[in-house]
Amino acid sequence: MATREEARQKREEKLDELHEKLTGAVERLVTGEDWADALRFAARFRSRSFNNVLLIWEQHQAAFEQGRVPEPFPTYVAGYKQWQQLGRQVEKGQPGYQILAPVTGRFASANPSDPASWYGLNRGEKPKPGEVVRSRMVGVRPAYVWDVSQTAGEPIPEPPSPVLLAGDAPDGLWDGLAQQVRAAGYELMRVPHEGMIHGANGLTDFEAKTVAVRENMDPAAQVKTLAHELAHVLMHDPDQEDARQHRGIGEVEAESVALMIGAAHGMDTTGYTIPYVAGWAANVDGKEPVEVVKATGERVRKTAAGILDQLDTAQVPDGTPPGLDRDAPRPARSKDRTAATVAEPEHSRAPEPARARGL
Ligand SMILES: [Zn+2]
């Protein structure tokens, strides 16, 4: 008969194995075609100068206030002809945003180290043999750009996005998680819709000590969100010493814990978890998404084991959700999203606005 210690060890192995599979699934997603298409599209938009970003934001906000664009933040921004090259057309009656486009000139020199030797080339003029040519900005001219929401046409390639879970919640799981939220000193609230929590599915407020989950989703999605928020409560209180960290890492951790809690109850969260974790992991500067996920393994396992320990629900011995198997189909893509957001905010500290980018 297995002792308690053996049982614990077995579960830890199971959780480690789950985490490895999650890491593998994230890797497959971020190396897949949809992901690559989205990156290639984004790469066609280069960063603009700080001044132009401000100009775009200001004019986009004004357009939003006048009801001409649906979202307050600009995402992909490009010139009229550039949108046409991407298979999209600026819609009638949409005025562009005026920015200052750099004007460059070409200069040539036979002796580059001598500043006095450089002279300007006219349009089409060729340098003399042996001369070096360089381009330099010589001024600015007004130009017009449009946000993607002012255009119509070919769909924007996007990374796969999280799909809300459907169906029932495992028996007793909501109550068990709710108890742990309250035991940590937080009040648990159910709100009618996402409009009350900044468009998120759930919200942990470390100052007010409240956790909110929206009720207008299926019970399975609600209970997964509660597990995600409980992980934030246990791991990310800014007053705890080891809790302050990059937002993206915090989201990867909380959602990975939710996957483990779900898996232990035979609930497959992968359609939501994998794109969500991949999206946030890809947003940690200077690190590969897979490395980000890998590095959280130990903390995630400990937190998940701690939560599972305190639940008196019926847990399945082999909790690998089918979506984590290598041959399983990839999560479905939702069709109604605009580009450049990473993932739905599962909870909300306010999501970072997408940066204005332009061709
Ligand atoms: Zn979160």
Side-chain angles (χ1 to χ4, degrees):
M1 208 177 80
T3 65
R4 199 176 153 74
E5 183 52 37
E6 277 166 350
R8 179 183 299 268
Q9 211 170 13
K10 209 162 173 217
R11 189 175 63 199
E12 292 198 347
E13 280 166 21
K14 181 71 214 166
L15 291 176
D16 279 342
E17 190 192 314
L18 259 180
H19 194 263
E20 270 168 39
K21 288 187 172 176
L22 171 64
T23 308
V26 166
E27 182 158 32
R28 290 196 295 286
L29 186 69
V30 300
T31 52
E33 257 318 293
D34 288 350
W35 199 273
D37 284 348
L39 287 187
R40 269 196 294 271
F41 183 83
R44 302 188 64 171
F45 293 78
R46 66 170 163 72
S47 297
R48 294 190 181 278
S49 72
F50 183 62
N51 276 339
N52 278 337
V53 169
L54 289 184
L55 285 171
I56 290 166
W57 272 61
E58 205 184 356
Q59 293 170 84
H60 189 87
Q61 294 275 341
F64 176 69
E65 277 159 25
Q66 292 160 17
R68 284 189 284 117
V69 292
E71 300 288 337
F73 302 114
T75 53
Y76 289 113
V77 174
Y80 194 90
K81 286 195 176 132
Q82 291 156 335
W83 276 125
Q84 285 180 328
Q85 286 163 10
L86 292 166
R88 294 180 70 89
Q89 189 67 37
V90 171
E91 289 176 330
K92 280 215 170 73
Q94 286 283 5
Y97 307 147
Q98 193 183 70
I99 61 166
L100 297 171
V103 176
T104 54
R106 291 186 311 138
F107 297 83
S109 166
N111 182 15
S113 57
D114 174 12
S117 69
W118 289 91
Y119 68 98
L121 292 170
N122 291 322
R123 185 181 282 265
E125 184 182 351
K126 294 209 171 88
K128 297 178 190 79
E131 285 184 342
V132 172
V133 178
R134 280 181 199 152
S135 293
R136 245 186 51 203
M137 191 170 133
V138 293
V140 293
R141 63 179 166 79
Y144 290 86
V145 292
W146 286 261
D147 181 64
V148 61
S149 62
Q150 299 173 293
T151 68
E154 294 285 316
I156 303 295
E158 301 171 51
S161 54
V163 179
L164 282 181
L165 305 190
D168 293 333
D171 275 348
L173 184 54
W174 174 277
D175 289 340
L177 295 173
Q179 211 169 27
Q180 294 187 40
V181 168
R182 293 192 194 99
Y186 283 70
E187 188 193 340
L188 177 58
M189 304 180 297
R190 305 181 93 158
V191 297
H193 59 82
E194 60 273 31
M196 301 181 70
I197 44 178
H198 312 295
N201 297 329
L203 168 68
T204 296
D205 186 330
F206 293 104
E207 264 178 37
K209 295 258 187 263
T210 56
V211 167
V213 175
R214 70 177 169 106
E215 284 181 310
N216 58 340
M217 334 183 257
D218 276 8
Q222 291 186 42
V223 81
K224 191 213 62 71
T225 293
L226 184 57
H228 177 111
E229 301 304 327
L230 174 59
H232 278 313
V233 164
L234 298 174
M235 302 174 87
H236 304 131
D237 182 342
D239 288 343
Q240 282 169 22
E241 236 172 68
D242 60 345
R244 278 177 235 111
Q245 56 183 315
H246 189 284
R247 164 86 197 269
I249 294 172
E251 292 307 315
V252 167
E253 288 182 338
E255 188 58 26
S256 302
V257 169
L259 173 123
M260 290 183 177
I261 305 300
H265 294 82
M267 183 172 76
D268 180 6
T269 72
T270 51
Y272 193 95
T273 298
I274 294 167
Y276 189 87
V277 164
W280 282 107
N283 251 27
V284 178
D285 286 341
K287 283 189 189 148
E288 287 297 315
V290 173
E291 295 311 311
V292 173
V293 178
K294 264 188 197 155
T296 61
E298 177 71 18
R299 271 168 60 82
V300 163
R301 168 168 59 75
K302 268 192 190 154
T303 306
I307 292 172
L308 291 171
D309 263 345
Q310 293 178 56
L311 290 172
D312 55 12
T313 46
Q315 293 171 26
V316 293
D318 181 17
T320 301
L324 281 181
D325 291 337
R326 190 159 283 273
D327 300 329
R330 291 219 314 277
R333 304 178 63 178
S334 73
K335 293 179 183 66
D336 57 351
R337 294 168 52 77
T338 51
T341 50
V342 272
E344 298 296 340
E346 174 64 14
H347 82 136
S348 75
R349 300 170 226 169
E352 284 117 283
R355 243 175 303 167
R357 281 179 282 189
L359 278 170

